[in-house]
Amino acid sequence: MQDKIKLSDYSFSVLQIETKTGCNMKCKFCPEPLRKVKGITLSDDDVYKAIDVIDAHDSKLEYLCFSGYNEPLMDPRIFKFIEYAKGKKFGVLIPTNGLLFNSDEVKEKLIEAEPTYIKISFHTLTEEAFLKSRGINYSFKKYKENIFDFLRLAAERQYSSEIDIDVACNFVSGARLLTLKLIGLPRGDPSVPNSTREIKQDLLAFIKELSEYHNSFIFDKKDIIRKLKLAEDKRYLEQSGISINKNIKIKIKPFSYGRRQSDFYKVNRHLGCSTRILTIYATGSVSPCCLDFNDRLSMGNIKEESLVSILDRNRDFISGIRNGTISPEVCKRCHGAPTRRGALYLNVRTRLRNFIQTGKTQLG
């Protein structure tokens, strides 16, 4: 029997497994429509083998996430994978856009599977923004009601899963926004509001509507405004969130612009990447980057060799990406900017930092 490995020994704290490609939305910020691979499924055995080799008791391990550039609930096997991982004592995260909550069967099966965490990527709060950014022709009213109904089921059954409804915001406004525009640096996802001030009224209306949908949900205007203000000063992972039920919260999240690996102008080098997520895509490809949508950072394939072998063989590669001594093309773009002047600014800033650091080293 093979010994289990600690994912943290390779500097990762999350294992993400994409069990099947495909999504029922075509969001403008997501590269899923640009992927070269379509209709690919990771076999049951490969999913189980990946889970079995990881030490679930690693103190630095956050959770196992069944996701990638896909909608996890589109894979009917996902519920048995949740059960299997929970049986191995993993915390399990299921992200979803919630579109499949139009199916009573899907809602019931997710309730029964009871993953540790569920994140509903609600993203936009208005019909106009929904139709513009999510890439589908679907009633926004119906979309909300389907999600409300899932939340109602979870509340009525005293569901133990922690459920977050994520609403997008770039957290940048005023002088800082103007400065970023002038120098051409990224300011988040261009399809969502830049500041919490811009989403305040729509958020209040959304939570009010939810509370009117079912009496399980709390509408506390003062608390909502206070938590919205606090969200400006807290990183997403540190937010306590706006509590609307015992295990259900709304969080304000800076959504990543996922197409930057192809759309951005590249820099000459970057200062390193602190990504904490190791991703196994449905192709079997293992990547140190959850943004690697076309397998350009592939370290190997679990259909051909073990995950342990892949990780051990790539220790130097992982370390190099971490500290910036290795800068693949996609990393140079990902750390780049949406404009030429922004990339130029980043190149100058990096050179200046390296010059200062070299001087400190020589003096020390």
Side-chain angles (χ1 to χ4, degrees), residues 205-240:
F206 175 80
I207 300 175
K208 179 69 172 175
E209 186 178 355
L210 177 58
S211 70
E212 291 172 349
Y213 183 85
H214 196 268
N215 59 13
S216 298
F217 305 114
I218 302 165
F219 177 78
D220 183 336
K221 185 175 180 179
K222 288 184 179 179
D223 183 63
I224 294 167
I225 294 172
R226 182 175 66 86
K227 292 288 182 62
L228 192 58
K229 180 64 177 175
L230 289 173
E232 296 176 6
D233 303 317
K234 290 283 189 181
R235 294 176 56 199
Y236 171 74
L237 294 176
E238 297 169 350
Q239 285 184 36
S240 60

Side-chain angles (χ1 to χ4, degrees), residues 114-175:
E114 209 163 8
T116 318
Y117 313 102
I118 297 173
K119 289 192 177 293
I120 301 172
S121 175
F122 196 81
H123 198 65
T124 54
L125 290 164
T126 68
E127 181 176 20
E128 180 183 4
F130 174 80
L131 295 174
K132 185 182 294 184
S133 67
R134 305 309 291 263
I136 57 167
N137 183 19
Y138 192 83
S139 165
F140 181 59
K141 182 175 183 294
K142 188 63 177 174
Y143 175 64
K144 283 193 296 183
E145 288 178 351
N146 292 335
I147 290 175
F148 288 177
D149 198 52
F150 172 77
L151 297 176
R152 175 190 63 80
L153 285 173
E156 287 181 342
R157 300 184 190 183
Q158 298 184 338
Y159 202 37
S160 68
S161 298
E162 294 182 22
I163 304 174
D164 290 341
I165 303 108
D166 288 339
V167 174
C169 177
N170 289 327
F171 291 101
V172 57
S173 60

Side-chain angles (χ1 to χ4, degrees), residues 80-96:
K80 71 176 183 180
F81 292 150
I82 296 170
E83 182 180 1
Y84 185 83
K86 285 177 59 183
K88 298 289 183 177
K89 307 303 180 183
F90 283 93
V92 179
L93 166 65
I94 295 294
T96 176

